[in-house]
Amino acid sequence: MKRTDRIMAILISLQQRPETAQSLADKFEVSKRTILRDMQSLSEMGIPLYSTTGPNGGFRLMEGYQLSPLQFDSKEALTILFALQAMTRIPDTPFNQERWTVIDKIKAILPEETLQQIDPILNHVEVEIPNRNYKTPFLMPLLEYTTDAKWLNILYRSKKHNRWSQIVPIRIYTAHGFWYSEAYSNHHQEVRTFRVDRIDQIEVIQSKDLNLPNLPNKNSKETKLTEPSIRVIVKLTYQGALMTEQDPHIGHLVKNVTEDAWEIDYMCPTTEWDYSVQYFFSLGLNAEVIEPESMKNEIYKLASEMCLRYQNK
């Protein structure tokens, strides 16, 4: 990004919220010193900036200062329309109508020259999302309850049960063509993930007997260090590596160790043990568990049962 473009982007960012030098440095992938020089340049241009200290400190614009309306350049317009185009591929969202109308509105205000530049690219690039056939009638209410951090009683259809559960939703996200709610479960006393399309009813709990737990920060990438875990090492073929890289929990841990061999080495929480055994078994000859011995034994047992099912009788 050119310096002039970065300075304008900093000004736009400050118009939305206060920012620290470090947060701006992370956002624009430059050093903190570079950001401080940019802030000095803005001050010399007469932009009314001031800074505060403390936990909520940072750079701010004087109240009442507003930028003139800005036009999108071709890359910015491409970024927005590409993201919206991806949204249209999700089967059910809280923005079913808006995702189409906003595309039309943005295209209507873009110069014809910009549209001619980005339309050919949009026609040849897309986000691949599996085609799912489901409805999420409680997605929008769930978004609102997540914002308010409310205790909810949900009727949930899991693999084994159809029962009521008490949860506090933490965040909502979409992956693999589904919507998910990461929520604290009172029954499990930990954070669990729920498929939103499997929620059949929602009731807000008004009881004062339930205290709000210390929920993890929604932006935190830290794992639960207190949860018991077991070290797992697995060798992978090229195909196994490709498949494992798609797993949202451990995919980022796959490493290329030689020209034609890959490996994953991680601490498996005991609560995820059964899932991990089934997962590596499902990879067949594309995965070889090196340790622990207990996982090797369980996969051997599953493989033996599979052989018995298909042996000639």
Side-chain angles (χ1 to χ4, degrees), residues 47-222:
I47 303 299
L49 289 169
Y50 71 97
S51 62
T52 57
T53 58
N56 298 317
F59 291 99
R60 302 167 185 261
L61 289 172
M62 295 292 290
E63 191 172 347
Y65 179 80
Q66 290 288 327
L67 286 171
S68 300
L70 300 172
Q71 287 286 345
F72 298 123
D73 63 28
S74 58
K75 283 189 176 180
E76 290 170 336
L78 178 60
T79 300
I80 295 170
L81 291 174
F82 176 67
L84 290 169
Q85 186 171 277
M87 179 69 73
T88 65
R89 297 180 63 84
I90 301 175
D92 196 19
T93 81
F95 328 106
N96 281 342
Q97 296 179 2
E98 292 80 1
R99 57 185 173 173
W100 295 103
T101 57
V102 71
I103 290 176
D104 293 338
K105 287 180 179 179
I106 290 175
K107 286 188 172 183
I109 64 173
L110 289 175
E112 186 62 32
E113 181 182 353
T114 301
L115 282 174
Q116 289 176 359
Q117 291 179 36
I118 66 176
D119 269 345
I121 301 175
L122 285 172
N123 291 334
H124 290 87
V125 55
E126 64 181 28
V127 175
E128 183 60 36
I129 297 174
N131 185 22
R132 308 291 190 188
N133 183 21
Y134 67 88
K135 291 294 182 182
T136 55
F138 296 103
L139 181 55
M140 195 61 198
L142 197 59
L143 281 171
E144 296 172 355
Y145 296 141
T146 302
T147 303
D148 297 334
K150 289 185 176 293
W151 274 105
L152 304 175
N153 206 18
I154 64 169
L155 182 59
Y156 188 73
R157 289 177 285 108
S158 65
K159 181 179 179 180
K160 298 180 180 179
H161 304 285
N162 186 16
R163 64 186 179 191
W164 289 92
S165 296
Q166 296 173 332
I167 67 167
V168 180
I170 301 170
R171 72 181 182 112
I172 308 294
Y173 65 95
T174 182
H176 319 298
F178 293 107
W179 285 96
Y180 296 89
S181 173
E182 193 174 79
Y184 177 83
S185 167
N186 192 46
H187 174 74
H188 299 97
Q189 294 290 296
E190 65 178 8
V191 174
R192 290 291 181 100
T193 300
F194 299 85
R195 276 249 309 263
V196 177
D197 59 295
R198 292 179 175 171
I199 298 176
D200 291 330
Q201 293 185 51
I202 292 182
E203 297 175 355
V204 178
I205 299 176
Q206 305 292 347
S207 172
K208 297 181 180 179
D209 297 333
L210 292 171
N211 295 319
L212 195 64
N214 292 323
L215 301 176
N217 188 305
K218 65 183 174 69
N219 297 318
S220 173
K221 295 182 180 179
E222 296 180 0

Side-chain angles (χ1 to χ4, degrees), residues 282-310:
S282 72
L283 293 181
L285 296 178
N286 288 306
E288 179 186 356
V289 174
I290 305 304
E291 61 175 81
E293 196 68 25
S294 55
M295 181 175 283
K296 295 166 66 174
N297 292 336
E298 290 197 36
I299 291 178
Y300 178 83
K301 181 180 177 181
L302 289 172
S304 299
E305 292 173 356
M306 183 69 74
C307 289
L308 288 172
R309 173 173 292 180
Y310 290 102

